Amino acid sequence: MTLREMNPGQTARIEAVDARQPGVVRLMVLGLIEGAEVQYENSAIGGDPMEVSVYGSAISIRKQQAGCFRVSPIA
């Protein structure tokens, strides 16, 4: 499952990151790294971009880039 496939309110842990796409390294600097817990907060009309919270901060991320973050859901 990727960050892109999460549902609003769902929490997951980042398991792997594909940093080949432009902009993904910048998101990693903001805290989207392996082992981090993220929660899908909301999204814009149409679903893009999506807002996630990580380490107490809200980050907007495009769905295309969200597909670069493999996650595992946390119950």
Side-chain angles (χ1 to χ4, degrees):
M1 163 178 205
T2 65
L3 195 59
R4 177 183 187 145
E5 299 164 346
M6 289 177 62
N7 297 315
Q10 189 173 15
T11 303
R13 178 171 286 112
I14 298 175
E15 299 295 332
V17 181
D18 179 2
R20 291 178 289 177
Q21 190 164 30
V24 173
V25 172
R26 180 186 63 84
L27 293 169
M28 292 174 70
V29 169
L30 294 174
L32 293 172
I33 57 173
E34 292 177 8
E37 288 186 16
V38 296
Q39 182 172 7
Y40 183 175
E41 298 292 341
N42 208 349
S43 63
I45 296 173
D48 197 21
M50 60 189 291
E51 179 184 355
V52 298
S53 64
V54 60
Y55 298 119
S57 297
I59 299 174
S60 291
I61 178 172
R62 295 186 185 276
K63 289 277 190 173
Q64 182 180 10
Q65 293 171 331
C68 296
F69 296 87
R70 193 178 52 150
V71 299
S72 59
I74 298 174

